[in-house]
Amino acid sequence: MAEAAWSTDTGEAVYRSRDPVRNLRLRVHLQRITSSNYLHYQPAAQAGKDLIDLATFRPPPTASGHRPDEDEEEEAVIGWQEKLFSQFEVDLYQNEAACQSPLDHQYRQEILKLEDSDGRKNRRIFTYTDSDRFTNLEEHCQKMTTAASEMPSFLVERMGNVRRRRQDRRGMEGGILKSRIVTWEPSEEFVRNNHVINTPLQTMYIMADLGPYGKLGYKKYEHVLCTLKVDSNGVITVKPDFTGLKGPYRIETGEKPELWKYTIDNVSSLAQPEEEEREQRVFKDLCGRHREYLSSLVGTDLETTVPGALRLFVNGEVVSAQGYEYDNLYVHFFVELPTTNWSSPAFQQLSGITQTCATKSLGMAAYLSYPFTFEASFLHEDESAGAHTLRVSTWRPLELGTVAELRRFFIGGSLELEDLSYVRIPGTFKGERLSRFGLRTETTGSVTFRLHCLQQSRAFMESSSLRKRMRSVLDRLEGFSQQSSIHNVLEAFRRARRRMQEARESLPQDLVSPSGAMVH
């Protein structure tokens, strides 16, 4: 038997499903291509004909009740984490002394029940579930490279333990956390144990015993047909992918080379329209409740400003700093608001210190990318908003003396201002003129700031709504030419009437009748 095309793509495929994984069903079909059946001559029905009849040949059953040709082809429909025992496991767990764990004793009871009934339906196809020893050993022994003498790294060992973090170990949503969110003083062991993201994962292997007839139950003949992994987010990883319209996969094995082919198909039952509709309603209701929960946390009312006040939000960034004398730079900045009509909340922090950035040589710019934010209020309506980039020159207090310069050059550090408000006007200053006589300074470089400003004012809303109303009126007038003509006629009539009234008032009273008409 020859196949027209084989599937050589044995890589994994990733799917995502919102349905429970327990509804997953796979159909696996396994068939031997190079047959080793015996050729048997049967007497012909007519004289003179002695033919080899392979189609009707059935070898006699063995002591176990199975025929050799039954091992040539097998098909099984397998569910998620469904356990199908291999011949090796049947022989192993029938011996009670080999059962060491509660799971081993459970498997022994299940095997004895199968033996008492009709026996196993599967011969070569079997499974290893997430609880079996094979699953732990298989993923722990996986290699990351093709080197024969590979030494697993720390990350490989930690990733091998990710699969053991079961879904049932996760805390219930909304429950009390059993560990602190932030560990301020983590130990070295804590860092090593929590370096890998904790993603619950379950694994299942679909296996095949490809041993020759009469030698089933040997570990060396076991081969992995398909690997399934499912995490808590509904992501399903299948390796290799479902066969679909592609050709079957092939396996060459055995002391004498034998060729096997197998296919993997997704035969999960499709949901009925009523079930899909009910699921959509439940999902929509769940999303609505989650949206309401988030709204309750954030709130729906926008905090408004007092009448006549302007609220300024600034999201800034210390982009870079360039020093003339240092190759290790940090910026200690201070934001001072004008004293006239400006104010900030009491909790607002108007100063900060960036991290230290090292440059390759003196004079190069150190890119700090340090974000900061603050807000302020101003009793005015006309202030420019938007994006701004500022370049600020910097200076430092200068300490005289050779010893001070040597200490600053070799050890680092210099004089600092005890009161940062002294950069502009000290907070303790009272008077009309500020004298800085005696303060020696030196230019040290520049700092680049990038500011993104937002403004909030009730006057903006009122003017915006007024413009919208005026625009609406103009749109209606411009949209209808007939109404525009009528408006022009009425306006002309009003002007004529007003001129007539002015003319009447200028006439003598004896020429005007009580009814308003002129007397002839």
Side-chain angles (χ1 to χ4, degrees):
M1 178 180 180
E3 284 293 332
W6 296 98
S7 179
T8 58
D9 184 8
T10 58
E12 63 183 20
V14 180
Y15 300 89
R16 186 180 181 89
S17 175
R18 295 184 301 185
D19 293 335
V21 69
R22 63 175 179 271
N23 297 331
L24 181 63
R25 295 290 184 275
L26 301 182
R27 181 176 61 226
V28 181
H29 183 269
L30 177 67
Q31 183 179 0
R32 189 204 305 263
I33 301 302
T34 54
S35 177
S36 59
N37 284 344
Y38 296 102
L39 299 180
H40 180 70
Y41 290 91
Q42 290 186 349
Q46 299 179 1
K49 292 185 178 181
D50 192 10
L51 303 177
I52 301 176
D53 191 357
L54 295 179
T56 59
F57 167 63
R58 292 292 184 270
T62 60
S64 61
H66 292 277
R67 300 176 182 272
D69 62 331
E70 294 179 358
D71 293 333
E72 299 291 326
E73 185 175 2
E74 186 174 338
E75 182 176 287
V77 177
I78 304 172
W80 173 248
Q81 297 298 334
E82 180 181 354
K83 180 62 179 176
L84 298 181
F85 295 101
S86 64
Q87 185 63 45
F88 175 81
E89 291 175 315
V90 171
D91 298 338
L92 176 65
Y93 293 124
Q94 282 183 347
N95 182 10
E96 188 174 3
C99 300
Q100 301 177 359
S101 64
L103 182 62
D104 295 343
H105 290 281
Q106 177 184 343
Y107 283 170
R108 170 178 166 80
Q109 297 300 324
E110 294 178 3
I111 291 174
L112 293 179
K113 290 181 181 179
L114 289 176
E115 294 296 330
D116 294 339
S117 57
D118 297 335
R120 292 186 302 130
K121 302 297 182 182
N122 60 302
R123 293 285 297 164
R124 293 186 179 273
I125 299 177
F126 62 97
T127 62
Y128 285 126
T129 64
D130 191 68
S131 303
D132 291 332
R133 299 189 187 95
F134 175 85
T135 307
N136 294 332
L137 296 176
E138 178 70 14
E139 298 202 356
H140 183 73
C141 299
Q142 282 184 351
K143 292 186 176 181
M144 299 291 107
T145 65
T146 57
S149 57
E150 176 187 345
M151 295 296 293
S153 63
F154 167 74
L155 182 59
V156 172
E157 293 178 352
R158 297 301 300 167
M159 290 301 295
N161 295 329
V162 171
R163 190 204 59 79
R164 299 180 178 87
R165 297 163 180 163
R166 309 280 189 229
Q167 295 185 11
D168 54 5
R169 295 182 184 177
R170 302 184 66 187
M172 297 296 293
E173 294 185 1
I176 300 176
L177 295 176
K178 296 183 179 179
S179 61
R180 292 174 294 178
I181 298 179
V182 178
T183 302
W184 297 107
E185 297 180 358
S187 61
E188 183 178 354
E189 184 65 21
F190 178 84
V191 174
R192 290 178 61 88
N193 293 335
N194 294 273
H195 185 66
V196 183
I197 299 177
N198 189 347
T199 304
L201 191 70
Q202 286 188 324
T203 308
M204 178 181 180
Y205 292 89
I206 301 178
M207 309 288 295
D209 188 344
L210 303 183
Y213 176 73
K215 294 185 179 181
L216 298 181
Y218 290 87
K219 298 290 290 186
K220 63 179 180 180
Y221 296 127
E222 293 183 359
H223 291 267
V224 179
L225 299 182
C226 181
T227 304
L228 299 172
K229 297 181 180 180
V230 179
D231 65 10
S232 58
N233 298 321
V235 177
I236 304 174
T237 305
V238 184
K239 182 181 180 181
D241 192 9
F242 302 125
T243 305
L245 300 178
K246 301 181 296 184
Y249 299 104
R250 60 184 292 171
I251 299 178
E252 295 182 7
T253 183
E255 298 174 355
K256 297 181 180 179
E258 292 184 342
L259 181 62
W260 295 80
K261 72 170 186 178
Y262 70 96
T263 58
I264 307 170
D265 297 306
N266 180 16
V267 293
S268 304
S269 301
L270 298 178
Q272 298 298 325
E274 297 81 7
E275 296 179 355
E276 291 183 356
E277 184 178 357
R278 182 171 61 253
E279 181 178 332
Q280 290 295 332
R281 287 199 304 267
V282 172
F283 184 73
K284 186 180 298 184
D285 180 67
L286 179 62
C287 292
R289 292 177 181 271
H290 186 65
R291 192 181 303 110
E292 293 176 358
Y293 171 71
L294 294 180
S295 299
S296 64
L297 295 179
V298 178
T300 57
D301 297 333
L302 180 64
E303 183 182 357
T304 59
T305 60
V306 297
L310 172 68
R311 202 174 191 180
L312 178 65
F313 298 89
V314 177
N315 293 323
E317 176 188 5
V318 182
V319 181
S320 61
Q322 186 174 7
Y324 303 143
E325 301 178 350
Y326 309 101
D327 54 0
N328 291 306
L329 302 176
Y330 71 91
V331 176
H332 189 180
F333 61 93
F334 176 76
V335 178
E336 183 177 3
L337 300 176
T339 57
T340 306
N341 298 332
W342 280 98
S343 62
S344 62
F347 62 86
Q348 185 70 64
Q349 184 176 359
L350 297 177
S351 63
I353 302 177
T354 68
Q355 73 278 8
T356 301
C357 181
T359 60
K360 293 183 178 180
S361 60
L362 296 177
M364 294 186 63
Y367 295 95
L368 300 170
S369 299
Y370 181 85
F372 63 92
T373 180
F374 68 91
E375 65 175 88
S377 298
F378 181 61
L379 293 175
H380 195 64
E381 297 182 1
D382 188 14
E383 283 293 319
S384 60
H388 304 271
T389 301
L390 305 178
R391 187 179 182 89
V392 181
S393 299
T394 59
W395 56 271
R396 66 174 178 86
L398 180 62
E399 186 178 5
L400 299 178
T402 306
V403 177
E405 286 298 315
L406 290 175
R407 181 172 63 250
R408 184 190 59 81
F409 182 80
F410 289 102
I411 301 178
S414 61
L415 294 179
E416 296 185 359
L417 297 176
E418 294 183 359
D419 184 5
L420 290 178
S421 63
Y422 199 81
V423 173
R424 189 172 182 270
I425 299 177
T428 58
F429 172 72
K430 295 180 181 180
E432 297 180 356
R433 293 179 177 84
L434 175 62
S435 175
R436 294 181 178 175
F437 180 78
L439 176 62
R440 297 178 179 271
T441 62
E442 182 181 10
T443 302
T444 56
S446 62
V447 178
T448 303
F449 293 85
R450 184 180 293 119
L451 307 178
H452 299 273
C453 303
L454 301 176
Q455 294 183 358
Q456 181 187 14
S457 176
R458 184 176 298 179
F460 294 163
M461 300 174 60
E462 294 174 355
S463 61
S464 177
S465 61
L466 179 59
R467 287 194 299 268
K468 288 183 179 178
R469 288 198 300 269
M470 294 299 296
R471 185 69 260 174
S472 178
V473 173
L474 294 176
D475 289 342
R476 289 199 299 268
L477 292 177
E478 294 175 359
F480 301 95
S481 58
Q482 184 178 3
Q483 292 183 4
S484 179
S485 301
I486 295 174
H487 175 76
N488 294 334
V489 172
L490 292 176
E491 187 65 24
F493 175 76
R494 292 191 190 97
R495 291 195 301 267
R497 184 178 180 181
R498 185 170 59 253
R499 288 195 299 267
M500 185 179 64
Q501 289 178 352
E502 293 176 354
R504 182 185 298 130
E505 293 175 355
S506 62
L507 292 176
Q509 294 297 326
D510 56 352
L511 297 179
V512 182
S513 65
S515 62
M518 297 182 62
V519 180
H520 297 279

